Amino acid sequence: MEAKGSVFEYNGEKQVLICSQDDFFVLESWDQYGIYKEGDFKTTKISPAPYVIIPSIGERLDFEYSFPSNSRVIVRIFDLNYRFITSIVDRFYESAGTVTRMYDNADWDGKNHLSQIVDPGTYLIHIEATNYLNGKSSIDIAPIVVGVNY
């Protein structure tokens, strides 16, 4: 965040006087959901990092997803038989954009919904975005590989 204001000294301490909310500028937005950048997307896309993760040694999967405006976005992990493993994201976004998840607690740690490390193998990262205004849904799926440390 960046702010525009006046610097002055009060009781020996430097202070910044910011006069209005228009003096604040968001440079980059990061929260527990990752870095959000607004964009103009009409469809849904998910892009996992293209490498094998080994959760038993603490590796995590970074990924990025894009979605249209006014959408409830759900990101889940499934096995190849489409059995549910865990949910990573379930959030409503007013504006279309892209979220990059690459920090602890924002990416996937290779664990199921019971916090157990999943077996080695291929999994599917699945995104679904449902627009509440028109009821349309769009999905994207990408493979991810979980390995084991020998």
Side-chain angles (χ1 to χ4, degrees):
M1 176 151 299
E2 187 175 280
K4 181 173 71 173
S6 301
V7 178
F8 64 95
E9 198 167 308
Y10 178 76
N11 287 339
E13 299 286 328
K14 293 210 185 252
Q15 306 267 330
V16 177
L17 175 64
I18 299 170
C19 296
S20 80
Q21 67 185 21
D22 296 331
D23 292 335
F24 286 99
F25 308 96
V26 176
L27 301 176
E28 185 173 75
S29 175
W30 186 88
D31 62 15
Q32 66 185 4
Y33 301 105
I35 298 170
Y36 169 76
K37 292 185 181 171
E38 210 169 301
D40 185 25
F41 296 95
K42 304 293 183 214
T43 187
T44 303
K45 177 85 175 135
I46 193 150
S47 304
Y51 56 83
V52 176
I53 66 163
I54 303 173
S56 61
I57 61 171
E59 291 183 344
R60 305 173 72 93
L61 178 72
D62 300 337
F63 63 97
E64 179 176 275
Y65 58 94
S66 303
F67 46 87
S69 61
N70 297 307
S71 292
R72 177 183 179 195
V73 176
I74 303 173
V75 177
R76 297 182 183 115
I77 306 292
F78 294 97
D79 68 12
L80 288 179
N81 293 319
Y82 240 85
R83 287 185 296 241
F84 173 77
I85 301 297
T86 192
S87 286
I88 304 171
V89 176
D90 189 345
R91 184 169 182 200
F92 178 78
Y93 291 93
E94 284 185 31
S95 300
T98 297
V99 174
T100 303
R101 295 177 61 120
M102 52 188 232
Y103 301 103
D104 288 351
N105 299 323
D107 49 8
W108 183 51
D109 60 1
K111 295 180 182 176
N112 65 19
H113 66 286
L114 300 173
S115 295
Q116 300 165 329
I117 294 176
V118 298
D119 291 331
T122 303
Y123 293 83
L124 302 171
I125 188 165
H126 175 278
I127 183 170
E128 178 180 3
T130 304
N131 184 306
Y132 276 114
L133 298 179
N134 61 23
K136 292 183 180 178
S137 290
S138 59
I139 65 168
D140 192 28
I141 301 169
I144 51 179
V145 178
V146 174
V148 64
N149 188 21
Y150 287 106

